[in-house]
């Protein structure tokens, strides 16, 4: 797949749909305040809205996310672009393991071919970037995947992956990384520039920082469960000026929410956000973050407020 074909994955779509929470009980509480019926409503809405790009992974809900998505696709007869991920676990040591994992994902998704297959993280040192990319190129040749992506790869690892695939006539389509107003690491370390220069799409997971940028959570109303470890009460206090700016800018755009402004900021940076959805309301709100653009001045204001949060956090 060449660069033009790879870019077609994201053509005409501002925002994708993340499915980490689909079937995940430990981190997101699946089966508590949301169930299969909620996910199906969200799925149907996204399909009808034309934002039919779903990102999943074999480890999400221990395969449950892929299984739910596959069932919804089969029952609805809908067409969608599907991205999933291979987990390079320590006992997976070669291309045969990669292909077996893909076949497991395809079985759960009820598909013969996936649009984008990604290595989930550069885990450990037993298997090189080059080994995985050689195996990925073989999967493209076998017509089991449409495009190759990576996730959580550094600048140097991304370049190595790109170089190997290029020798096989395959373009590295994407690098999926955490990217939002509270984590702009890829802007600072050169990864975003590298991806832009090489035509590699940055897929931004957690674009609203696991819900923090929605404005819903405050020192008086902290995040539940494991998420509070990442964003404790004192941190929530520090980001309130940024939240207030998100609210103000949202009002200037017809009443957009802080989360919608935060997602749109990612779009304006040239990345492809994949906010998670657990119900119909979240699907509606997330997709309404696209189809419009922040002004250059608003982006600059948000960048400055983000930098001030980072600087304040470094003082601790």
């Amino acid at each position: 797949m060449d660069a033009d074909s790879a870019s077609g994955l994201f053509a005409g779509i501002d925002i994708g749909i993340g499915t980490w929470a689909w079937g995940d009980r430990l981190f997101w509480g699946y089966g508590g305040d949301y169930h299969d019926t909620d996910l199906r409503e969200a799925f149907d809405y996204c399909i009808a809205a034309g934002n039919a790009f779903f990102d999943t992974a074999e480890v999400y809900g221990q395969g449950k996310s892929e299984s739910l998505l596959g069932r919804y696709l089969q029952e609805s007869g809908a067409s969608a672009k599907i991205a999933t991920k291979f987990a390079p676990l320590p006992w997976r040591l070669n291309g045969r393991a990669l292909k077996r994992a893909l076949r497991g994902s395809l079985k759960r998704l009820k598909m013969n071919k996936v649009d984008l297959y990604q290595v989930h993280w550069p885990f450990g040192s037993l298997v090189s970037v080059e080994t995985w990319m050689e195996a990925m190129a073989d999967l493209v040749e076998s017509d089991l995947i449409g495009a190759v992506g990576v996730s959580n790869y550094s600048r140097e690892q991304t370049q190595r992956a790109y170089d190997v695939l290029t020798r096989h006539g395959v373009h590295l389509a994407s690098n999926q990384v955490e990217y939002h107003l509270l984590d702009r690491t890829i802007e600072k370390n050169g990864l975003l520039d590298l991806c832009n220069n090489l035509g590699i799409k940055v897929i931004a997971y957690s674009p609203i920082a696991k819900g923090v940028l929605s404005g819903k959570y405050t020192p008086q109303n902290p995040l539940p469960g494991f998420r509070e470890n990442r964003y404790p009460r004192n941190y929530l206090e520090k980001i309130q000026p940024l939240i207030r700016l998100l609210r103000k800018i949202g009002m200037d755009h017809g009443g957009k929410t802080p989360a919608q402004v935060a997602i749109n900021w990612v779009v304006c940076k040239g990345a492809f956000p994949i906010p998670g959805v657990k119900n119909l309301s979240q699907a509606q709100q997330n997709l309404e973050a696209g189809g419009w653009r922040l002004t250059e001045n608003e982006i600059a204001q948000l960048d400055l407020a983000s930098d001030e949060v980072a600087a304040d956090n470094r003082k601790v």
Side-chain angles (χ1 to χ4, degrees):
M1 169 174 279
D2 59 21
D4 290 339
S5 299
S7 65
L9 278 168
F10 312 99
I13 306 175
D14 278 345
I15 297 165
I17 298 96
T19 67
W20 178 11
W22 294 23
D24 183 278
R25 297 180 186 277
L26 181 63
F27 194 91
W28 292 107
Y30 167 76
D33 61 352
Y34 70 104
H35 302 80
D36 289 5
T37 53
D38 300 295
L39 298 176
R40 179 58 191 270
E41 285 181 345
F43 170 86
D44 288 341
Y45 176 82
C46 292
I47 291 292
N51 278 56
F53 184 106
F54 294 87
D55 178 84
T56 184
E58 62 174 333
V59 297
Y60 293 169
Q62 297 180 312
K64 183 73 171 177
S65 175
E66 289 181 328
S67 296
L68 287 170
L69 183 54
R71 192 179 86 205
Y72 299 159
L73 287 165
Q74 185 181 64
E75 291 175 352
S76 67
S79 176
K81 293 176 181 177
I82 305 299
T84 193
K85 306 181 201 71
F86 161 76
L89 301 169
W91 54 87
R92 290 175 164 174
L93 300 175
N94 52 44
R96 291 189 300 276
L98 179 79
K99 191 170 185 177
R100 283 195 298 271
L102 172 61
R103 291 200 180 280
S105 289
L106 290 174
K107 183 177 180 180
R108 288 185 290 273
L109 288 165
K110 306 183 189 306
M111 303 176 73
N112 297 318
K113 178 179 180 179
V114 71
D115 297 285
L116 176 64
Y117 199 41
Q118 306 154 93
V119 179
H120 206 151
W121 56 79
F123 187 77
S125 58
L126 291 177
V127 182
S128 69
V129 169
E130 288 75 15
T131 296
W132 290 134
M133 293 304 106
E134 294 278 352
M136 282 287 205
D138 289 342
L139 295 179
V140 174
E141 180 66 25
S142 301
D143 202 33
L144 292 172
I145 65 175
V148 178
V150 295
S151 184
N152 301 303
Y153 271 40
S154 69
R155 188 183 190 283
E156 181 260 344
Q157 290 162 337
T158 302
Q159 183 70 64
R160 287 166 59 190
Y162 175 88
D163 290 344
V164 173
L165 291 171
T166 298
R167 291 198 291 270
H168 288 270
V170 176
H171 183 76
L172 179 61
S174 61
N175 187 359
Q176 184 175 148
V177 294
E178 184 167 2
Y179 182 44
H180 47 74
L181 279 161
L182 300 178
D183 188 344
R184 295 167 60 199
T185 303
I186 65 169
E187 288 184 33
K188 314 298 183 181
N189 64 14
L191 178 58
L192 181 60
D193 285 341
L194 175 74
C195 290
N196 288 338
N197 291 337
L198 297 180
I200 301 166
K201 194 69 171 178
V202 169
I203 300 177
Y205 68 79
S206 298
I208 56 172
K210 299 178 175 61
V212 174
L213 292 171
S214 69
K216 174 181 177 181
Y217 301 106
T218 66
Q220 296 74 37
N221 181 40
L223 282 83
F226 292 108
R227 284 183 285 168
E228 186 178 6
N229 296 332
R230 175 80 180 271
Y231 301 106
R233 294 171 190 254
N234 64 328
Y235 187 84
L236 294 177
E237 180 66 41
K238 293 176 184 178
I239 68 168
Q240 291 311 302
L242 173 59
I243 299 298
R244 287 193 289 271
L245 178 59
L246 289 168
R247 291 191 192 281
K248 177 185 179 300
I249 291 174
M251 291 304 296
D252 292 340
H253 285 270
K256 297 296 185 183
T257 67
Q260 289 169 337
V261 175
I263 293 170
N264 195 273
W265 175 89
V266 174
V267 174
C268 290
K269 291 286 183 172
F272 184 75
I274 50 168
V277 299
K278 295 190 293 185
N279 53 52
L280 176 60
S281 176
Q282 288 183 354
Q284 292 170 331
Q285 291 186 48
N286 288 347
L287 296 190
E288 288 174 5
W292 55 281
R293 292 292 186 274
L294 295 166
T295 67
E296 291 296 325
N297 182 55
E298 289 166 340
I299 295 168
Q301 290 180 59
L302 289 168
D303 285 355
L304 178 60
S306 168
D307 287 337
E308 289 174 348
V309 169
D312 189 33
N313 202 43
R314 285 194 295 270
K315 295 175 184 177
V316 178

